[in-house]
């Protein structure tokens, strides 16, 4: 079920998390995220590099992207086209605006409710 998948993803995400003092620091202001979120994103990037052949990845889809800090970061650090999905139209609009202001042509956000 979808809830089982989400629970599994939450477990995987928790295994990637590094304490903030151990994770390399991202440009927090550039991504508009708090330091704790920056540490999580950095740990996620490290896990991707450690567990996947990055060259074989064609596109990233970020489900529940919110304002898109992870989506933008993945695009910039992996050089991949990224699609962020969120169910809140105003959040998607804001995320697209930030991506446009940052001149990120390979980043797009769309409205999508995966529970429907």
């Amino acid at each position: 079920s979808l809830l089982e998948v989400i629970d599994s993803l939450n477990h995987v995400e928790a295994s990637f998390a590094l304490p903030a003092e151990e994770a390399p620091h991202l440009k927090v202001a550039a991504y508009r995220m708090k330091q704790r979120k920056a540490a999580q994103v950095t740990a996620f990037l490290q896990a991707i590099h450690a567990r996947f052949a990055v060259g074989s990845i064609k596109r990233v889809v970020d489900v529940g992207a919110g304002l898109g800090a992870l989506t933008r970061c993945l695009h910039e650090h992996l050089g991949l086209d990224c699609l962020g999905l969120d169910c809140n139209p105003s959040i998607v609009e804001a995320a697209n605006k930030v991506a446009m202001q940052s001149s990120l042509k390979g980043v797009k956000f769309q409205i999508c409710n995966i529970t429907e």
Side-chain angles (χ1 to χ4, degrees):
S1 80
L2 182 58
L3 292 176
E4 290 169 331
V5 171
I6 291 170
D7 186 50
S8 175
L9 290 174
N10 286 336
H11 177 72
V12 170
E13 179 185 11
S15 72
F16 292 159
L18 293 176
E21 61 274 1
E22 293 180 25
H25 298 288
L26 295 173
K27 299 176 289 182
V28 175
Y31 293 108
R32 298 183 185 180
M33 66 176 109
K34 295 181 180 177
Q35 192 61 45
R36 181 170 184 259
K37 177 73 170 182
Q40 291 171 337
V41 169
T42 299
F44 191 74
L45 285 168
Q46 291 170 341
I48 288 172
H49 282 289
R51 291 179 171 83
F52 299 100
V54 176
S56 67
I57 300 171
K58 303 294 182 216
R59 172 184 278 173
V60 174
V61 177
D62 181 5
V63 178
L67 290 173
L70 175 61
T71 312
R72 294 189 315 274
C73 188
L74 289 172
H75 170 73
E76 290 186 353
H77 288 269
L78 301 177
L80 300 170
D81 286 343
C82 295
L83 174 63
L85 303 175
D86 202 275
C87 64
N88 185 321
S90 61
I91 294 290
V92 169
E93 183 180 342
N96 275 316
K97 184 176 178 181
V98 171
M100 286 177 42
Q101 289 172 342
S102 302
S103 300
L104 299 177
K105 296 181 184 185
V107 177
K108 294 192 178 6
F109 296 89
Q110 293 180 352
I111 301 166
C112 178
N113 188 342
I114 62 169
T115 62
E116 292 180 348

